[in-house]
C-alpha cells in the first residue's frame, strides 16, 4: 500500500489553489464547517481514483464529477481543475506523483511511470474503504441485518459470497415454481381420470376395478394388477373407428365444469377477491409509481454492463459499480412496497392456479363441443379459454396485476350467462345421443381411460422430477449457506474481538469490559452488544447515539484491519471524530497511536479541541496540520499551516513574486490573529459571521497587550520583584518597536492584496513588511520550540491571574500584592 506526501489542488471543488505536504505522516485538517476541509478529502480520492465519493451513488443523479468537481468559478473550464498527489510505495520505496484533471478524470499522468508505482496505485484503488466519512459510520451499527451484512461484506470484499447466495436462492425459487406447476398438472390429470371413471381418490386398485368390466365385455384379458406403466387398452385393435365417445364420462365432465363456474362464489372469484384486497394496499398513486419503478430498476440492475452506461437512460457513469450502487439504493428505498408486492404475487399465484384448474376442465368441454355444439357456442368456449390464457399471462408479476386491477374489479373473469347457456345446450345435445352397443361403449371407455391414464403417469413422472430438482436446489442452497455462514462466523469472531477491544479502550472509564457478538445467518448479520454487563442487546436498544457512532468507527477500524492487515498504511477519516463523544476523544487518539502506529491517518475535523489533542497525544506532529479559518467563493479557504506560510512567502520572494507573497501573508495573518485575540481576550466588536478585519484585530491585540503588560508591571512592583519588572519593561519596549514597525508596513499588505494593478514594489521593498509582521507575531508566541503556543490570559475565580504560554516558560503574574 501507500502513504501520502505532497498534495497540490487547483480550481477543484471549493478550493482555488492549495498545497499541503503530509510528509508521509498522520495529518489533521481542521476548521469550521463550510471552510473547505472536505475538499481535501475529495482531492485525495480524485487523485487516486478519478472519482469523488460524495458526487456518486444515491441522491446524486443530477450531479457529476465533470460538471461539478471544478470550482464554481471554473465550472466551464474543467481542464483547469487539477489535482496532483505525491505518494510512496511502501513495497518498493519508490515515490511518484499522479496528476489528474477533471476534463478527463480517468486519464492520468504518473511520474515516474514505473510498474511498481502502477501496482501500488491499483492496490489503493481496490480499497476505497481507506476513506471513511461521518455519514457512512452508522450504516455498520443501526442498519437492518440484511443491509449490514451487505455493507460489511462489500467492505471485506466478500460481496461475491452474498451474490452467489442470491443466485442460488433465485434458482431455488425458480425450481420451486416448476415443482408447483408440475404438481398442479398432476392434480389436473388425476381429476380428469377420476371424472372419466366416476370415482374419487384415484388409486390403482380402483382403476383396475373400473377397467376390467369393459375389458371383459370386449373379450380382453382382465388385469390382475394395474400401475402407472400399464397400458389400459392393451389388446385392443388399432383399426380406425370413429372417435371414442363415452356418454357418461362426457356428462360428468360437462357437469364438473358447470359446477366450477356457476357455484357462488366460485374458487376463481374467491381468489380474485383476495388479490384485489392486496392491490388495494397500493391505491396511493405514489405507491403505484414506486412499484412500477422498482420493477423497472430491477430490470436495469440486471442489465448493467462493464462500460458503466445506464441501460435505462443511457447516462454514462464513472464506473459500473457506482451505477449498481445507485440502482441498489433506489431499490432498497422501496422495501415496504416490496413486501406489498410479494403479497400481491402470492395472491396472483392463487388466481393463476384457479385459472389453470378451470382451463383443464374447459379443455375437455371444448373437445366435446367440436361434435355436439354449433359454431357460436364453440366460439364462446374458445373466447373463455383465450381470456383465461390472457389473464394467466398478465398476472405473472405485481406490475401486471396492477395493470389488470380495473379489469379484475369490473368482473372480467366472471363467467357470463351466455357461457352457462352454451353449456346447457351442450348437455342437452349429449343427453339426446343414443346409447351405443355395450362393446362400443367399452371400447370408447378404454381408449379414453388409456389416454388419461398415460397423461396422469407422465404428469406424475414430471412431478417427481420437479420434486427431485427442488430438493437438490434446496440442499445446494442450504449447504452453501451453512459453509458460507461457518466461514463468515469464524471471520466475524476475529473482527468482533478487535471491535470489542477498541470500543473498550475508548470507553475504558465505564465500559472497559465491553463485548460484541455477530450472528451471521443466510445473508444477514445481526449485531448484539453488551450494556454494562446486564445483557446483550441490539446497539440501538440502550446505547446513546454518541456511543453508537463510536461503535461504528471502532467496527470500521476492526474491519479494515482484517482486510489489509500489515498493509493498513493509510486511512482518511472525514469528520468522524464527532462519532466519539467529547469525553473520550483523547482515548481515541491514544487508540489510533497505539494500535496503528504504522498507519498514516489523514483526519478532518471541525473540533479545535480534538485537533489540539491529536498533537498533545502525539498522534500528529506539532506542525502536521492545516487550519481552515473560513471560506469565500472568490478565494476559497482561508488557512494557515503551522508557521509554514512564512516559508512559502520566502519562496515567493526568492522568485520575485511579491503579489503572491503578499497574498500569502495576508491569508496567514487572517488565520493567526483571531487565535491571538482569543488567547489574550482582546476586545473586538462582535460579528455574527466571525469575519473580522485585520485592522480591528491588530488594534485590539496591541491595546490588550499594552494593558496586560501594564498590569504585569504593577504586579511586579507590588511584590518588589525588580528583576521581573526589568524583564517586563524590556518586553514592553520590544512591543512598542514591533507595533510601530508593523503599523508603518501595514499599508503594503492591503495595497498588494486589494488592487489588481500591483504597486511597483520590489522584493527588497517588501521584505521589511514581512519582517515587521513576523516580529509582531513573535511577540505573542512562546520561544520554546517544544511549545510554540500563543501567550494568553489565565483566570482564577474570574480574576485575571497571569499572562502565560502553555508550557509556562513565558509567565507574567498579573495579581497585585
Amino acid at each position: 500500500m501507500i502513504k501520502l506526501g505532497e498534495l497540490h489542488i487547483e480550481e477543484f471543488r471549493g478550493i482555488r489553489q492549495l498545497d499541503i505536504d503530509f510528509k508521509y505522516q498522520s495529518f489533521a485538517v481542521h476548521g469550521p464547517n463550510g471552510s473547505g476541509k472536505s475538499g481535501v478529502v475529495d482531492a485525495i480520492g480524485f487523485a487516486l481514483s478519478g472519482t469523488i465519493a460524495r458526487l456518486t451513488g444515491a441522491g446524486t443523479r443530477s450531479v457529476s464529477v465533470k460538471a461539478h468537481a471544478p470550482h464554481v468559478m471554473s465550472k466551464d473550464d474543467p481542464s483547469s481543475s487539477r489535482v496532483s498527489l505525491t505518494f510512496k510505495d511502501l513495497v518498493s520505496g519508490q515515490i511518484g506523483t499522479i496528476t489528474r484533471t477533471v476534463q478527463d478524470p480517468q486519464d492520468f499522468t504518473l511520474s515516474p511511470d514505473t510498474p511498481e508505482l502502477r501496482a501500488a496505485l491499483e492496490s489503493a484503488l481496490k480499497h476505497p474503504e481507506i476513506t471513511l466519512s461521518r455519514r457512512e459510520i452508522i450504516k455498520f451499527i443501526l442498519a437492518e441485518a440484511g443491509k449490514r451484512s451487505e455493507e460489511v461484506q462489500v467492505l471485506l470484499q466478500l460481496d461475491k459470497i452474498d451474490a452467489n447466495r442470491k443466485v442460488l436462492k433465485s434458482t431455488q425459487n425458480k425450481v420451486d415454481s416448476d415443482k408447483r406447476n408440475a404438481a398442479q398438472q398432476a392434480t389436473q390429470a388425476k381429476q380428469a381420470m377420476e371424472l372419466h371413471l366416476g370415482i374419487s381418490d384415484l388409486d390403482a386398485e380402483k382403476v383396475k376395478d373400473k377397467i376390467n368390466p369393459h375389458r371383459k365385455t370386449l373379450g380382453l384379458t382382465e388385469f390382475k394388477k394395474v400401475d402407472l406403466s400399464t397400458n389400459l387398452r392393451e389388446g385392443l385393435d388399432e383399426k380406425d373407428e370413429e372417435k371414442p365417445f363415452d356418454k357418461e364420462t362426457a356428462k360428468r365432465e360437462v357437469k364438473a365444469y358447470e359446477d366450477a363456474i356457476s357455484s357462488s362464489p366460485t374458487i376463481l372469484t374467491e381468489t380474485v377477491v383476495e388479490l384485489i384486497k392486496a392491490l388495494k394496499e397500493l391505491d396511493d398513486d405514489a405507491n403505484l409509481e414506486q412499484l412500477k419503478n422498482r420493477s423497472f430498476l430491477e430490470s436495469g440492475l440486471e442489465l448493467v454492463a462493464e462500460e458503466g452506461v445506464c441501460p435505462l437512460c443511457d447516462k454514462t457513469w464513472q464506473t459500473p459499480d457506482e451505477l449498481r450502487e445507485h440502482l441498489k439504493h433506489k431499490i432498497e428505498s422501496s422495501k415496504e412496497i416490496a413486501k406489498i408486492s410479494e403479497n400481491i404475487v402470492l395472491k396472483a399465484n392463487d388466481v393463476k392456479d384457479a385459472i389453470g384448474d378451470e382451463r383443464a376442465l374447459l379443455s375437455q368441454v371444448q373437445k366435446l363441443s367440436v361434435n355436439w355444439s354449433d359454431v357460436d357456442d364453440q366460439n364462446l368456449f374458445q373466447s373463455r379459454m383465450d381470456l383465461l390464457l390472457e389473464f394467466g399471462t398478465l398476472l405473472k408479476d405485481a406490475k401486471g396485476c396492477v395493470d389488470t386491477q380495473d379489469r379484475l374489479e369490473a368482473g372480467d373473469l366472471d363467467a357470463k350467462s351466455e357461457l352457462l347457456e352454451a353449456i346447457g345446450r351442450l348437455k342437452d345435445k349429449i343427453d339426446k345421443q343414443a346409447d351405443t352397443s355395450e362393446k362400443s361403449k367399452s371400447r370408447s371407455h378404454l381408449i379414453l381411460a388409456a389416454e388419461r391414464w398415460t397423461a396422469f403417469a407422465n404428469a406424475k413422472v414430471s412431478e417427481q422430477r420437479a420434486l427431485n430438482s427442488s430438493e437438490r436446489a434446496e440442499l445446494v442452497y442450504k449447504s452453501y449457506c451453512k459453509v458460507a455462514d461457518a466461514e463468515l462466523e469464524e471471520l466475524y469472531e476475529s473482527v468482533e474481538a478487535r471491535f470489542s477491544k477498541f470500543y473498550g479502550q475508548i470507553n475504558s472509564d465505564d465500559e472497559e469490559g465491553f463485548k460484541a457478538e455477530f450472528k451471521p445467518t443466510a445473508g444477514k448479520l445481526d449485531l448484539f452488544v453488551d450494556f454494562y454487563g446486564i445483557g446483550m442487546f441490539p446497539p440501538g436498544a440502550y446505547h446513546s447515539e454518541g456511543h453508537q457512532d463510536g461503535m461504528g468507527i471502532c467496527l470500521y477500524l476492526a474491519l479494515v484491519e482484517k482486510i489489509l492487515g500489515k498493509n493498513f498504511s493509510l486511512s482518511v477519516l472525514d469528520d468522524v471524530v464527532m462519532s466519539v463523544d467529547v469525553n473520550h476523544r483523547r482515548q481515541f487518539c491514544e487508540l489510533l497511536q497505539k494500535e496503528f502506529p504504522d498507519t498514516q491517518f489523514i483526519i478532518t475535523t471541525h473540533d479545535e479541541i480534538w485537533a489540539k489533542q491529536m498533537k498533545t497525544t502525539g498522534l500528529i506532529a506539532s506542525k502536521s496540520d492545516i487550519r481552515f479559518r473560513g471560506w469565500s467563493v472568490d478565494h476559497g479557504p482561508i488557512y494557515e499551516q503551522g508557521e509554514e506560510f512564512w516559508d512559502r512567502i520566502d519562496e515567493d520572494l526568492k522568485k520575485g513574486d511579491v503579489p503572491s507573497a503578499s497574498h500569502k501573508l495576508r491569508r496567514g495573518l487572517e488565520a493567526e490573529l483571531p487565535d491571538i485575540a482569543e488567547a489574550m481576550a482582546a476586545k473586538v466588536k462582535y460579528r455574527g459571521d466571525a469575519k473580522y478585519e485585520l485592522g480591528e484585530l491588530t488594534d485590539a491585540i496591541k491595546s490588550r497587550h499594552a494593558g496586560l503588560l501594564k498590569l504585569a508591571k504593577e504586579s511586579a512592583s507590588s511584590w518588589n520583584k525588580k528583576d521581573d519588572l526589568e524583564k517586563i519593561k524590556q518586553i514592553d519596549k520590544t512591543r512598542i518597536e514591533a507595533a510601530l514597525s508593523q503599523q508603518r508596513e501595514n499599508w503594503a499588505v492591503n495595497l498588494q492584496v486589494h488592487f489588481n494593478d500591483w504597486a511597483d514594489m520590489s522584493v527588497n521593498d517588501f521584505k521589511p513588511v514581512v519582517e515587521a509582521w513576523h516580529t509582531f507575531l513573535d511577540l505573542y508566541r512562546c520561544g520554546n520550540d517544544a511549545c510554540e503556543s500563543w501567550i494568553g490570559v489565565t483566570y482564577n475565580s474570574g480574576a485575571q491571574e497571569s499572562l502565560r504560554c502553555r508550557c509556562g516558560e513565558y509567565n507574567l503574574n498579573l495579581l497585585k500584592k
Side-chain angles (χ1 to χ4, degrees), residues 485-552:
D485 288 345
E487 292 295 321
L488 288 173
E489 191 169 348
E490 184 178 344
L491 184 149
Y492 290 143
E493 282 178 2
S494 64
V495 171
E496 74 183 28
R498 294 292 282 170
F499 165 44
S500 300
K501 180 180 179 182
F502 295 163
Y503 185 80
Q505 284 182 234
I506 292 177
N507 299 275
S508 58
D509 55 341
D510 61 349
E511 288 191 272
E512 188 173 6
F514 173 87
K515 60 181 179 179
E517 182 178 304
F518 288 117
K519 289 187 176 180
T521 53
K524 296 184 178 182
L525 180 61
D526 287 306
L527 172 61
F528 299 93
V529 295
D530 172 61
F531 187 71
Y532 294 94
I534 299 173
M536 303 295 287
F537 305 95
Y542 297 109
H543 282 89
S544 68
E545 289 186 12
H547 284 80
Q548 293 167 19
D549 287 352
M551 290 178 201

Side-chain angles (χ1 to χ4, degrees), residues 286-316:
N287 287 343
L288 286 170
E289 191 63 29
Q290 202 172 7
L291 176 62
K292 292 177 182 178
N293 287 344
R294 182 181 178 88
S295 176
F296 186 59
L297 292 168
E298 286 174 336
S299 299
L301 184 60
E302 293 177 359
L303 297 172
V304 173
E306 290 307 312
E307 292 78 12
V309 177
C310 179
L312 306 178
C313 67
D314 290 334
K315 175 183 174 181
T316 301

Side-chain angles (χ1 to χ4, degrees), residues 349-551:
N349 285 338
D350 291 339
V351 175
K352 289 196 294 181
D353 285 347
I355 286 174
D357 291 341
E358 183 180 337
R359 283 180 54 208
L361 294 172
L362 177 57
S363 66
Q364 299 301 328
V365 172
Q366 277 190 291
K367 290 176 184 178
L368 294 169
S369 71
V370 172
N371 291 322
W372 312 115
S373 296
D374 58 29
V375 173
D376 289 341
D377 284 353
Q378 289 180 39
N379 289 337
L380 278 173
F381 294 135
Q382 186 58 50
S383 295
R384 180 64 178 177
M385 181 64 80
D386 292 342
L387 182 70
L388 294 174
L389 286 168
E390 179 189 7
F391 271 87
T393 302
L394 291 173
L395 301 178
K396 65 179 180 179
D397 55 29
K399 182 178 180 299
C401 294
V402 170
D403 293 339
T404 317
Q405 182 175 356
D406 289 343
R407 294 180 63 187
L408 291 172
E409 291 178 343
D412 279 16
L413 271 176
D414 294 346
K416 302 299 184 286
S417 60
E418 294 88 346
L419 183 64
L420 290 170
E421 291 169 1
I423 291 172
R425 286 190 289 272
L426 178 58
K427 285 172 61 179
D428 290 342
K429 288 280 183 71
I430 293 172
D431 282 338
K432 292 176 182 178
Q433 297 306 308
D435 288 333
T436 57
S437 66
E438 289 301 318
K439 283 190 176 183
S440 181
K441 285 182 183 179
S442 293
R443 179 181 178 82
S444 295
H445 190 88
L446 282 183
I447 291 173
L448 286 174
E451 288 177 357
R452 297 187 183 192
W453 187 244
T454 300
F456 176 61
N458 291 337
K460 292 300 289 184
V461 170
S462 296
E463 181 183 27
Q464 188 59 50
R465 286 174 181 167
L467 178 62
N468 293 342
S469 296
S470 176
E471 290 174 348
R472 285 194 295 270
E474 183 179 15
L475 177 63
V476 170
Y477 176 71
K478 287 184 175 179
S479 298
Y480 181 86
C481 289
K482 182 178 180 181
V483 173
D485 288 345
E487 292 295 321
L488 288 173
E489 191 169 348
E490 184 178 344
L491 184 149
Y492 290 143
E493 282 178 2
S494 64
V495 171
E496 74 183 28
R498 294 292 282 170
F499 165 44
S500 300
K501 180 180 179 182
F502 295 163
Y503 185 80
Q505 284 182 234
I506 292 177
N507 299 275
S508 58
D509 55 341
D510 61 349
E511 288 191 272
E512 188 173 6
F514 173 87
K515 60 181 179 179
E517 182 178 304
F518 288 117
K519 289 187 176 180
T521 53
K524 296 184 178 182
L525 180 61
D526 287 306
L527 172 61
F528 299 93
V529 295
D530 172 61
F531 187 71
Y532 294 94
I534 299 173
M536 303 295 287
F537 305 95
Y542 297 109
H543 282 89
S544 68
E545 289 186 12
H547 284 80
Q548 293 167 19
D549 287 352
M551 290 178 201

Side-chain angles (χ1 to χ4, degrees), residues 1-71:
M1 286 289 283
I2 63 173
K3 287 190 177 182
L4 307 184
E6 296 176 2
L7 175 67
H8 174 73
I9 307 171
E10 292 181 30
E11 301 297 327
F12 182 84
R13 300 295 285 154
I15 298 172
R16 302 304 302 266
Q17 183 169 322
L18 179 65
D19 290 282
I20 301 177
D21 188 358
F22 299 121
K23 297 181 179 179
Y24 311 106
Q25 300 175 351
S26 291
F27 195 93
V29 182
H30 53 106
N33 289 330
S35 60
K37 304 184 302 297
S38 292
V40 175
V41 175
D42 292 343
I44 293 172
F46 178 75
L48 293 176
S49 68
T51 62
I52 301 174
R54 76 185 76 245
L55 297 188
T56 60
T60 60
R61 182 175 181 180
S62 59
V63 180
S64 69
V65 170
K66 193 166 186 178
H68 303 100
H71 188 277

Side-chain angles (χ1 to χ4, degrees), residues 664-731:
K664 288 183 174 63
L665 176 58
R666 184 175 181 87
R667 283 301 183 88
L669 295 174
E670 287 173 339
E672 301 280 31
L673 290 176
D675 282 349
I676 300 172
E678 180 182 5
M680 299 185 66
K683 295 181 180 179
V684 293
K685 183 179 179 181
Y686 174 75
R687 294 181 182 272
D689 59 5
K691 294 181 179 178
Y692 298 98
E693 295 292 333
L694 289 184
E696 60 183 322
L697 285 173
T698 305
D699 290 344
I701 290 168
K702 288 192 290 188
S703 175
R704 176 64 167 160
H705 193 204
L708 290 170
L709 291 178
K710 182 180 178 181
L711 284 176
K713 289 178 188 176
E714 293 172 354
S715 173
S717 295
S718 71
W719 294 99
N720 196 28
K721 291 190 173 183
K722 296 180 180 179
D723 292 342
D724 287 353
L725 185 59
E726 289 301 315
K727 177 182 175 181
I728 297 167
K729 286 180 179 179
Q730 185 59 44
I731 292 173

